[in-house]
Amino acid sequence: MDSEHREKDGERAGVLRRLMAAGRANSAVTVMFHSAVAAKQGLNATEEKTLDYLERRGPLTAKDLAELTGLAPASVTGLVDRLEAKGFVRRVKHPTDKRRVLVELDQEKIAEFAVFFEDWARDVAAACEEFSTPELETVIRFLTVMTERQQRASARLSES
Amino acid sequence: MDSEHREKDGERAGVLRRLMAAGRANSAVTVMFHSAVAAKQGLNATEEKTLDYLERRGPLTAKDLAELTGLAPASVTGLVDRLEAKGFVRRVKHPTDKRRVLVELDQEKIAEFAVFFEDWARDVAAACEEFSTPELETVIRFLTVMTERQQRASARLSES
DNA sequence: GTCCTTAGTTCGACCGAACGAAGTATTTGC
DNA sequence: GCAAATACTTCGTTCGGTCGAACTAAGGAC
């Protein structure tokens, strides 16, 4: 290995180290931000998770929520009661099966809190002015790759 | 505004939109990963937060922890009891003031769980091979800027 | 040296969130 | 059309985590 290679490798290693540090710091702050939002909404972790499922998958039955959250049916009843009392969701009739209860988001309530995200979105956009479009494309590619990897790492961690 | 500008603006807007989406997805997964790690360690949110403070600031007194976590003194006693029972921290004598109790991390226990992070670090390093060194520099710069902004956004959210 | 303050613990109580078991309503299978 | 299965709720209980009040031990002031 010639000296040029050694130098390149050293630089690369340093960059990786700094990237790790930056990623770690960013994760810590992301978690804080998330829990600050939850606190603002007056929601606990379970309730937050439930709203997240509903946002991604649309209306779900109590049974679906039980499976997704890992809670007992009785606990889901309580969970939905709380979310309904706070105005985040509604119980609606299932179109074909009268035994089932569909839980759907109250879009108005969600919009109430969207204000904070718009604030944050403006912040992000402002920060992006320091970056060229190709640079942002690189960032998007990076985030996408990492999201997918971390997703798998989470799953591995949870199951084993 | 000529057609070239219009096109550039449109492209930029699209990139920003995709960046937001990528960032949002990444945040969601980060939070999941974090809670998966906590579950693996058998820690709740408060305990996790406490360990984080100890990692960043070194040994702290019970009073310090009470202020940082916002808990009552009695609750801190319980919190430290639990962390001590699980082997994550130790109570040690304060060098000058015998009333005080210093809480310090058990580095061996921390190292036990570092394995999972090494796994993840390898994963990250592997994913980074798809990126040139200058690209990674861009990512670092982006993460750093965003971390700082999100930090401030969290603080604003928490206080108001 | 005595009194007041400070640091932390113990104790009893409380609350939110989870659970299992039993109950109701509805659908499915034969 | 009746029995078994399914979806959800109700009820009583339990448990973890927090709290305030009272207590102990150790500094600090004068």
Side-chain angles (χ1 to χ4, degrees):
Chain A
M1 191 188 282
D2 59 28
S3 78
E4 194 191 327
H5 262 141
R6 267 204 308 282
E7 196 181 301
K8 279 268 163 66
D9 285 0
E11 188 196 348
R12 182 78 180 180
V15 169
L16 280 178
R17 198 161 9 82
R18 285 190 293 123
L19 179 63
M20 288 294 189
R24 209 180 146 83
N26 191 66
S27 291
V29 171
T30 295
V31 170
M32 270 197 216
F33 183 74
H34 190 265
S35 88
V37 170
K40 190 108 204 164
Q41 294 178 318
L43 298 176
N44 66 24
T46 307
E47 291 157 359
E48 194 74 21
K49 200 203 292 185
T50 303
L51 293 188
D52 190 50
Y53 285 129
L54 291 172
E55 267 175 49
R56 287 200 236 174
R57 312 201 179 194
L60 295 168
T61 66
K63 184 162 203 352
D64 293 335
L65 289 177
E67 280 162 10
L68 288 168
T69 59
L71 291 176
S75 308
V76 174
T77 298
L79 168 63
V80 176
D81 284 349
R82 292 188 318 264
L83 284 174
E84 204 169 25
K86 290 172 188 166
F88 288 94
V89 306
R90 266 186 305 271
R91 281 181 166 93
V92 299
K93 286 182 196 300
H94 191 282
T96 63
D97 189 338
K98 289 182 192 164
R99 290 170 306 176
R100 300 188 200 194
V101 170
L102 272 177
V103 180
E104 71 173 23
L105 286 177
D106 183 317
Q107 293 299 340
E108 280 189 33
K109 186 73 177 185
I110 301 301
E112 249 179 61
F113 287 99
V115 176
F116 297 117
F117 288 108
E118 280 162 27
D119 251 26
W120 170 237
R122 253 192 303 281
D123 238 28
V124 170
C128 283
E129 285 179 20
E130 295 174 32
F131 295 84
S132 71
T133 301
E135 282 177 335
L136 292 184
E137 292 281 9
T138 299
V139 171
I140 291 171
R141 190 158 57 91
F142 180 85
L143 287 178
T144 306
V145 170
M146 284 305 161
T147 299
E148 202 243 357
R149 294 239 177 193
Q150 198 164 18
Q151 164 75 58
R152 278 210 288 263
S154 291
R156 244 177 298 146
L157 216 52
S158 298
E159 76 194 14
S160 70
Chain B
M1 190 189 282
D2 59 28
S3 78
E4 195 190 325
H5 260 139
R6 267 206 308 279
E7 198 181 301
K8 278 267 164 64
D9 285 0
E11 188 195 347
R12 183 78 181 180
V15 169
L16 281 178
R17 200 164 5 84
R18 284 189 294 125
L19 179 62
M20 287 296 187
R24 212 180 145 81
N26 190 66
S27 291
V29 171
T30 295
V31 170
M32 270 196 216
F33 183 75
H34 190 264
S35 87
V37 170
K40 189 111 206 160
Q41 294 178 319
L43 298 175
N44 66 25
T46 307
E47 291 157 0
E48 193 75 19
K49 201 203 291 186
T50 303
L51 292 187
D52 190 50
Y53 285 129
L54 292 172
E55 267 174 47
R56 287 199 235 175
R57 313 202 179 193
L60 295 169
T61 65
K63 185 164 202 352
D64 292 335
L65 289 176
E67 280 163 10
L68 288 168
T69 59
L71 290 176
S75 307
V76 174
T77 298
L79 168 63
V80 176
D81 285 348
R82 295 194 310 268
L83 285 173
E84 204 169 25
K86 291 172 189 167
F88 287 94
V89 307
R90 266 186 305 271
R91 279 180 167 93
V92 300
K93 285 182 198 299
H94 191 282
T96 63
D97 189 338
K98 289 182 192 165
R99 290 170 307 173
R100 300 190 202 192
V101 170
L102 273 178
V103 179
E104 72 174 22
L105 285 178
D106 183 317
Q107 293 299 339
E108 280 189 32
K109 186 74 178 183
I110 301 300
E112 248 179 63
F113 287 99
V115 177
F116 297 116
F117 288 109
E118 281 162 27
D119 251 26
W120 170 236
R122 253 192 302 281
D123 237 28
V124 170
C128 284
E129 285 179 20
E130 295 173 32
F131 295 83
S132 72
T133 301
E135 281 176 336
L136 292 183
E137 291 282 10
T138 299
V139 171
I140 292 171
R141 190 157 58 88
F142 180 85
L143 287 178
T144 306
V145 169
M146 284 304 162
T147 299
E148 202 242 355
R149 294 239 177 193
Q150 198 165 17
Q151 163 76 58
R152 278 211 287 266
S154 290
R156 244 177 298 146
L157 217 51
S158 299
E159 75 193 15
S160 68

